[in-house]
Amino acid sequence: MSFDVVVGKRLGDAEVALRLDAGAGLTVLFGPSGVGKTTVLNMVAGLLRPDRGRVVVAGRVLFDSEAGIDVPVEQRRVGYVFQDPRLFPHRRVRDNLRYGAAGLALPNATTAMLGIDHLLDRWPRTLSGGEARRVAIGRALLSDPAFLLLDEPLSSLDRPRREEIMAAIERVRDEIGLPILMVTHDPGEAERLATRIVTL
């Protein structure tokens, strides 16, 4: 079992609720903007506390409102790739990748898999949108996560850049085998990348 999530959260007048029981692979949360997809990711990550429910990932209980369990975000071993790559502008790509991966020698298999070895000495401001997303995915993977969360990782990219990120996500899904929860509102992305699709 990869994701066993039953959560509810009231945000203003709206209620975000989800029941998800998903096995291995890449699970897509699919639906239009504003239905709470990113809110669900933030609850799984521990960035937002559910009002009620339970979050279990790969057999580990991260949140249980009845049992009083709420594992701090820094102890959840989550690799989170946000819509905005959020690279540190004052660090070269190599040092962005090393963040959270103390003592790691680069390049390694992850940078090769993502095709970013040639970017290691570049500054984030010199990267294309697709390059920056691949570096963000690499940084998340090099933190030794137990699971990966992807929030609209293909948004605002042109077709060639979207293709390179989809190929990178497919490699992560197929070669690394981490449980992945991804948010998208694009049916083509969902159809191509998902092991299963959950519609919100």
Side-chain angles (χ1 to χ4, degrees):
M1 201 74 65
S2 291
F3 293 99
D4 181 3
V5 178
V6 182
V7 288
K9 178 75 175 176
R10 180 158 291 282
L11 298 171
D13 294 333
E15 172 84 9
V16 176
L18 174 72
R19 178 177 295 272
L20 169 66
D21 186 357
L26 190 153
T27 301
V28 163
L29 299 182
F30 176 76
S33 298
V35 297
K37 301 184 301 295
T38 298
T39 297
V40 170
L41 287 195
N42 288 337
M43 287 191 280
V44 173
L47 299 174
L48 185 64
R49 191 178 195 277
D51 294 333
R52 65 187 183 281
R54 179 175 162 90
V55 176
V56 182
V57 182
R60 183 177 176 219
V61 179
L62 302 178
F63 178 82
D64 189 321
S65 57
E66 291 187 4
I69 297 170
D70 189 5
V71 175
V73 63
E74 66 274 12
Q75 295 176 20
R76 293 192 180 201
R77 291 189 56 213
V78 54
Y80 200 147
V81 179
F82 298 89
Q83 289 186 39
D84 176 348
R86 300 189 186 189
L87 301 180
F88 300 115
H90 61 291
R91 294 175 183 244
R92 292 184 190 268
V93 166
R94 182 186 310 275
D95 292 322
N96 265 280
L97 291 168
R98 281 186 175 143
Y99 183 80
L104 189 68
L106 296 176
N108 70 6
T110 299
T111 59
M113 177 185 67
L114 294 172
I116 56 176
D117 285 340
H118 67 291
L119 303 175
L120 296 177
D121 292 320
R122 299 258 302 270
W123 295 100
R125 66 179 176 274
T126 69
L127 302 177
S128 71
E131 289 170 339
R133 298 285 171 89
R134 282 187 286 148
V135 171
I137 292 169
R139 184 173 64 182
L141 290 173
L142 291 170
S143 69
D144 188 30
F147 60 100
L148 197 60
L149 303 178
L150 306 176
D151 189 6
E152 297 278 8
L154 301 153
S155 64
S156 306
L157 295 178
D158 59 24
R159 184 174 294 277
R161 302 295 79 78
R162 285 164 58 91
E163 178 58 38
E164 71 183 43
I165 298 304
M166 280 198 280
I169 292 170
E170 286 173 325
R171 286 192 293 274
V172 171
R173 179 195 66 200
D174 298 340
E175 297 176 23
I176 296 181
L178 282 176
I180 303 172
L181 191 58
M182 174 178 152
V183 160
T184 184
H185 63 270
D186 184 289
E189 293 173 16
E191 186 66 31
R192 173 169 168 179
L193 297 173
T195 308
R196 73 201 51 78
I197 298 172
V198 177
T199 301
L200 276 72

